[in-house]
Amino acid sequence: MVGLRFSHGGQPVSQDVALVRTACHFGGSRPWFLCPGCARRVAGLFFRFGRFLCRHCGRVAYASQSQDAIGRGWIKQGKLESRLGPNWQRPKGMHRATFGRIFAGLMACEEAREEALCAFLQRHAALLG
């Protein structure tokens, strides 16, 4: 049990959160929090509604869930670009097939973003005209 003592809105608040442990495959154990709202085993709690809760009880969305298609495309492209050298060059030691898959993914990101942008522009052009 972990006792949390903090102030929220100038008022002192105390909350107890239970800890459980699960065995790991190669020995040892891993600690988890038990959500005070639903008793789910979670790795992290979020401060919502004046107390600590799991993602589900606190209604916390992942950042990617609030992104539009264009924003998600930029994130995916950034991850792919991080695997390549400058100017999308194949890094030394990377297999050509791997480079081909990454490059195809980059082209797909570009195309999906352009299609989303065209759809956006068509929707707004219809509203204006």
Side-chain angles (χ1 to χ4, degrees), residues 3-119:
L4 303 173
R5 310 286 179 255
F6 54 96
S7 65
H8 176 64
Q11 300 295 323
V13 179
S14 66
Q15 183 178 359
D16 292 328
V17 178
L19 285 176
V20 295
R21 292 189 165 273
T22 57
C24 295
H25 291 290
F26 295 108
S29 63
R30 184 199 192 290
W32 301 91
F33 293 111
L34 283 183
C35 173
C38 63
R40 287 183 184 178
R41 187 177 66 193
V42 294
L45 297 172
F46 299 86
F47 188 73
R48 296 285 299 209
F49 312 117
R51 48 189 233 159
F52 286 93
L53 300 167
C54 70
R55 180 178 293 279
H56 177 75
C57 293
R59 290 184 246 144
V60 177
Y62 291 99
S64 63
Q65 290 175 312
S66 61
Q67 293 275 341
D68 60 352
I70 295 172
R72 286 190 304 272
W74 279 115
I75 291 170
K76 185 174 182 178
Q77 182 171 340
K79 289 180 181 181
L80 291 170
E81 285 177 342
S82 70
R83 297 182 62 192
L84 299 179
N87 300 322
W88 291 4
Q89 296 298 312
R90 182 176 64 92
K92 183 177 179 182
M94 179 181 279
H95 288 269
R96 293 186 193 281
T98 302
F99 176 73
R101 283 192 304 273
I102 293 172
F103 194 81
L106 287 169
M107 292 297 108
C109 286
E110 294 267 340
E111 187 175 332
R113 250 195 349 268
E114 287 179 9
E115 287 176 8
L117 183 60
C118 287

